[in-house]
Amino acid sequence: MHLITLKDWSTKQINGVIDKSLELKSNPDKYSFALEDKSLAMIFQKTSTRTRLSFEVAMTQLGGHSVYMDWRSTNLVLADLGDETKSISGYVDGIMARVLKNANLVAMSRAASVPVINGCDERYHPCQIIADLVTVKEKKGKLTGLKLAYIGVHNNICNSLIEGCTRTGMKIVTVTPIVSEAAFDGDIVEAAKVTGLYENSLDVKAAVEDADVVYTDTWVDMEFFLDPKFKKEKEKRIKTMLPYQLNKKLLKGSDALIMHDMPIHRGYEISDDIVDDPNSVIYLQSENRLHSAKAILLELLK
Ligand code: CP
């Protein structure tokens, strides 16, 4: 079994991994040898802070071992992806990969004889959303019946959040004035509509009003953020999105948890003071990447 999107997992599995993450957080010592003698290849085609750290430290704390591989310094750059993946499968018990194109990750999962975990591609970020749901459950004690407002670009985080919320009984309202064509997954949106738990609106004030959680993400994908070729598009996005910034004015009277998957661009999708607001659980979300990475690894590698 793999984790390319949350579609790969049953609702029971998703809820089980969320609860297991909280158990691992409370009793880490119980699991010190849970993945003894297991190895994980961690392949990165893009930059990362949290995904690399969480999986690398998770493997260490579970008694296993991880191998960091920068895509550009491997023969993935010049050989057949399937051949290389089959070869990598012969050394390790699992592969976690962050790639530019979901199609490449799907090809790797077809070639691999070990589980493949999506460490973020242009369409999905399931590991982040599992950590987010763990954070909400930790703070609120439940998921079902809560409402999350996502305000930002319809991107990979938005896709996986729609899946994660609707699969666990949370209502999600997305306020997405810009839809990333590369990310958009119509199947996720259609499946979410059927649940009655998904709504898309441009009324940001109404979306936030009775929300238990307010979530935002970068307006520009990480691989384009510093790219001079993307400068014009970046400026256009900032102009369109600034009225949708998470700030004190928008959140006046709201008691919602404030979430962001990081990296943060202070002054763009979120104001400086809101990052450090007492309702912000952004750094808890980040820490929970570790506990949820452990639960994901136990689910797939044990
Ligand atoms: N949220 C997240 O995936 O962080 P990194 O890009 O630093 O891994």
Side-chain angles (χ1 to χ4, degrees):
M1 190 200 309
H2 304 294
L3 177 57
I4 307 301
T5 93
L6 292 173
K7 283 180 221 168
D8 297 335
W9 283 15
S10 69
T11 300
K12 191 174 165 205
Q13 263 180 308
I14 295 169
N15 281 314
V17 163
I18 292 167
D19 290 340
K20 190 75 176 182
S21 305
L22 292 170
E23 151 67 7
L24 281 151
K25 187 170 184 172
S26 300
N27 299 298
D29 295 347
K30 249 174 75 182
Y31 298 89
S32 298
F33 302 100
L35 291 184
E36 198 174 13
D37 298 329
K38 302 273 186 190
S39 295
L40 178 74
M42 308 197 308
I43 303 170
F44 284 86
Q45 204 178 13
K46 298 197 273 182
T47 56
S48 169
T49 303
R50 282 145 290 275
T51 303
R52 176 179 177 179
L53 272 173
S54 59
F55 277 94
E56 191 159 340
V57 175
M59 281 305 285
T60 303
Q61 292 187 0
L62 293 171
H65 172 247
S66 58
V67 184
Y68 174 77
M69 299 167 76
D70 180 336
W71 180 286
R72 288 157 299 188
S73 64
T74 67
N75 284 328
L76 287 159
V77 292
L78 53 84
D80 179 81
L81 184 56
D83 288 344
E84 289 296 295
T85 305
K86 272 183 210 158
S87 168
I88 293 166
S89 295
Y91 296 93
V92 295
D93 303 283
I95 298 169
M96 190 276 291
R98 168 168 288 192
V99 297
L100 288 166
K101 296 279 175 214
N102 173 261
N104 280 342
L105 201 65
V106 171
M108 288 172 82
S109 69
R110 288 191 180 136
S113 55
V114 296
V116 174
I117 301 168
N118 186 351
C120 186
D121 60 37
E122 87 284 18
R123 303 195 81 193
Y124 314 107
H125 198 352
C127 297
Q128 177 64 51
I129 273 46
I130 289 173
D132 299 339
L133 295 170
V134 169
T135 307
V136 175
K137 192 152 190 184
E138 182 179 6
K139 294 299 286 183
K140 298 278 187 189
K142 63 174 186 177
L143 296 173
T144 302
L146 298 179
K147 174 187 162 183
L148 181 146
Y150 171 82
I151 299 153
V153 172
H154 189 126
N155 58 9
N156 50 0
I157 285 288
C158 182
N159 279 338
S160 293
L161 261 183
I162 293 171
E163 276 198 298
C165 289
T166 56
R167 296 282 298 282
T168 55
M170 279 180 79
K171 183 173 179 188
I172 176 166
V173 180
T174 58
V175 181
T176 52
I178 295 174
V179 176
S180 158
E181 264 179 55
F184 187 76
D185 182 334
D187 291 345
I188 286 180
V189 167
E190 289 313 311
K193 279 182 188 165
V194 173
T195 66
L197 293 169
Y198 167 68
E199 196 187 309
N200 181 243
S201 161
L202 280 182
D203 189 344
V204 66
K205 199 74 202 158
V208 165
E209 211 162 60
D210 59 344
D212 301 288
V213 182
V214 177
Y215 195 122
T216 193
D217 184 27
T218 184
W219 295 335
V220 178
D221 284 350
M222 62 173 74
E223 60 268 39
F224 301 120
F225 205 84
L226 301 172
D227 185 346
K229 289 201 287 288
F230 206 77
K231 190 168 176 270
K232 257 206 166 107
E233 176 63 20
K234 188 175 157 185
E235 282 164 6
K236 201 170 112 196
R237 285 191 179 199
I238 290 168
K239 200 166 164 218
T240 306
M241 294 303 300
L242 261 179
Y244 298 88
Q245 181 191 66
L246 284 199
N247 55 34
K248 277 243 184 309
K249 188 172 166 223
L250 178 66
L251 296 177
K252 192 165 183 266
S254 164
D255 199 30
L257 297 179
I258 296 159
M259 299 184 82
H260 188 308
D261 53 298
M262 304 181 89
I264 297 165
H265 305 103
R266 288 175 184 248
Y268 292 95
E269 69 270 10
I270 188 164
S271 65
D272 222 11
D273 48 358
I274 287 297
V275 175
D276 304 310
D277 187 274
N279 283 342
S280 165
V281 291
I282 292 170
Y283 300 109
L284 183 65
Q285 252 179 290
S286 166
E287 186 206 317
N288 283 338
R289 287 293 306 272
L290 170 62
H291 310 297
S292 55
K294 286 184 186 177
I296 292 165
L297 288 165
L298 288 178
E299 179 73 14
L300 293 174
L301 268 59
K302 204 162 158 58

